[in-house]
Amino acid sequence: MSRWLTAKEKQLSDVEPKHSTPKDLFTKPASTIVRVLLQQTKGNVGKAIQKITFYINRAGKNLANKAEVNKAKDILKKRLKNKKD
């Protein structure tokens, strides 16, 4: 019997991304993270930023490579801004 879960029943750990990223991608340098995410999203910078944000939110305090992940996010944000200008 299926039913909708209430907010208390649904945990963040139950959420699975539609498309997975390569294992250990977010332990690599920022340039590698950007390159791989742009390949996966077929050049869609907005979707690449969403993937990084999803990863940051899931990792929480356990984010091992925080500086490089945030650097990759900043690189993507600059690309998005340049694309809009």
Side-chain angles (χ1 to χ4, degrees), residues 20-22 25-26 30-45 47-53 72-73 76:
S20 62
T21 56
L25 170 66
F26 294 104
S31 58
T32 303
I33 295 171
V34 169
R35 182 177 39 80
V36 171
L37 288 177
L38 287 175
Q39 287 174 351
Q40 281 191 331
T41 61
K42 298 178 182 154
N44 189 329
V45 179
K47 285 187 179 187
I49 293 172
Q50 285 178 343
K51 283 185 175 231
I52 287 181
T53 303
K73 189 173 180 181
L76 288 169

